[in-house]
């Protein structure tokens, strides 16, 4: 275990001086500002001087405290993970907003073991034969037209971390950060322990 040395980093350049995802921070700050009364710090009123968006303040403080390393790419990856801007953070933000129905996920993502996360019912009016119904357990996602023959839903008591892994697959196909983020809750709206668990394990 490495011993902590007081003020060891006081003269080191801060991460914010070299890398800062300004476009993502700006987008998230604008979302928070547009939330109006839904902003976390609105209730503090004048006590929150200038009422700057919390996400903006958090990003500046974090970027100022984190030191630079020789690997700029990894520095940025760590910063975005700690801000919940990365795909794992977004997927956990998506759990709270449920942007896709179970059927949409069944038609959208590639998953070889779907019945570990989902269950299904077969309507009485189904056109499937008894043999085809027995084969459903072997189906994989995406279902394509097969989705018309069954009703898909999440398994009971599925854990949020498992849901997040499924949403991660769905979000990966969305091309821009802005489009992904709009499907998710804002970082400050999520249980912080759950949200930052992947980042804190890096």
């Amino acid at each position: 275990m490495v011993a902590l040395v007081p003020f060891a980093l006081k003269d080191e350049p801060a991460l914010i001086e070299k890398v800062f995802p300004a476009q993502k921070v700006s987008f998230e700050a604008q979302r928070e500002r547009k939330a109006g009364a839904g902003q976390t710090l609105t209730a503090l009123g004048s006590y929150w001087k200038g009422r700057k968006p919390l996400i903006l303040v958090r990003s500046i403080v974090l970027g100022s405290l984190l030191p630079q390393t020789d690997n700029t790419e990894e520095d940025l990856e760590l910063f975005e993970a700690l801000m919940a801007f990365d795909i794992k953070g977004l997927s956990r933000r998506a759990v709270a907003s449920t942007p896709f129905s179970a059927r949409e996920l069944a038609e959208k993502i590639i998953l070889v073991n779907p019945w570990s996360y989902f269950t299904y019912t077969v309507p009485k009016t189904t056109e499937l034969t008894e043999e085809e119904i027995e084969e459903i357990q072997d189906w994989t996602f995406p279902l394509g037209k097969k989705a018309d023959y069954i009703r898909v839903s999440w398994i009971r008591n599925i854990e949020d971390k498992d849901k997040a892994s499924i949403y991660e697959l769905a979000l990966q196909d969305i091309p821009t950060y802005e489009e992904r983020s709009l499907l998710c809750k804002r970082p400050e709206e999520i249980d912080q322990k759950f949200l930052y668990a992947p980042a804190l394990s890096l």
Side-chain angles (χ1 to χ4, degrees):
M1 183 174 178
V2 179
L4 294 176
V5 180
F7 304 110
L9 299 174
K10 69 183 181 68
D11 296 321
E12 293 296 316
L15 183 145
I16 199 173
E17 298 174 52
K18 195 168 186 180
V19 295
F20 190 72
Q23 187 173 352
K24 292 179 181 179
V25 172
S26 176
F27 178 78
E28 294 291 353
Q30 185 180 35
R31 276 194 71 195
E32 184 179 338
R33 178 66 80 194
K34 287 182 176 179
Q39 297 177 77
T40 303
L41 293 169
T42 297
L44 293 177
S46 61
Y47 287 102
W48 184 241
K49 299 302 181 183
R51 310 220 6 218
K52 301 299 182 188
L54 179 61
I55 195 77
L56 175 61
V57 175
R58 179 180 287 182
S59 66
I60 292 171
V61 171
L62 183 62
S64 300
L65 290 175
L66 289 174
Q68 293 179 19
T69 71
D70 294 330
N71 192 322
T72 303
E73 187 174 331
E74 286 188 2
D75 287 349
L76 182 59
E77 286 179 6
L78 175 61
F79 182 82
E80 292 193 346
L82 291 171
M83 292 297 298
F85 290 171
D86 66 335
I87 190 67
K88 290 194 178 297
L90 286 167
S91 68
R92 290 184 173 231
R93 290 163 57 184
V95 170
S97 62
T98 58
F100 306 108
S101 67
R103 172 168 178 154
E104 287 173 324
L105 290 167
E107 295 175 333
K108 183 180 183 68
I109 64 173
I110 297 174
L111 195 62
V112 296
N113 60 333
W115 310 127
S116 296
Y117 305 90
F118 300 91
T119 186
Y120 64 87
T121 56
V122 181
K124 293 181 180 179
T125 56
T126 185
E127 298 176 7
L128 296 177
T129 64
E130 289 187 11
E131 183 179 348
E132 289 172 326
I133 291 174
E134 290 179 2
E135 292 174 351
I136 294 175
Q137 283 292 334
D138 298 322
W139 289 2
T140 59
F141 287 2
L143 290 180
K145 291 184 177 179
K146 291 179 180 178
D148 294 334
Y149 298 108
I150 61 175
R151 296 191 183 98
V152 181
S153 58
W154 292 101
I155 61 173
R156 183 174 294 183
N157 298 325
I158 185 171
E159 294 188 15
D160 284 344
K161 65 182 180 63
D162 294 324
K163 274 191 172 184
S165 68
I166 298 301
Y167 282 123
E168 183 176 341
L169 296 175
L171 291 172
Q172 285 174 344
D173 292 333
I174 298 172
T176 69
Y177 176 82
E178 289 78 3
E179 289 175 289
R180 292 176 180 177
S181 180
L182 286 172
L183 293 171
C184 308
K185 292 283 189 179
R186 303 193 315 276
E188 70 272 16
E189 296 179 285
I190 311 301
D191 176 78
Q192 302 295 282
K193 185 177 180 180
F194 170 70
L195 179 62
Y196 293 112
L200 297 176
S201 66
L202 293 175

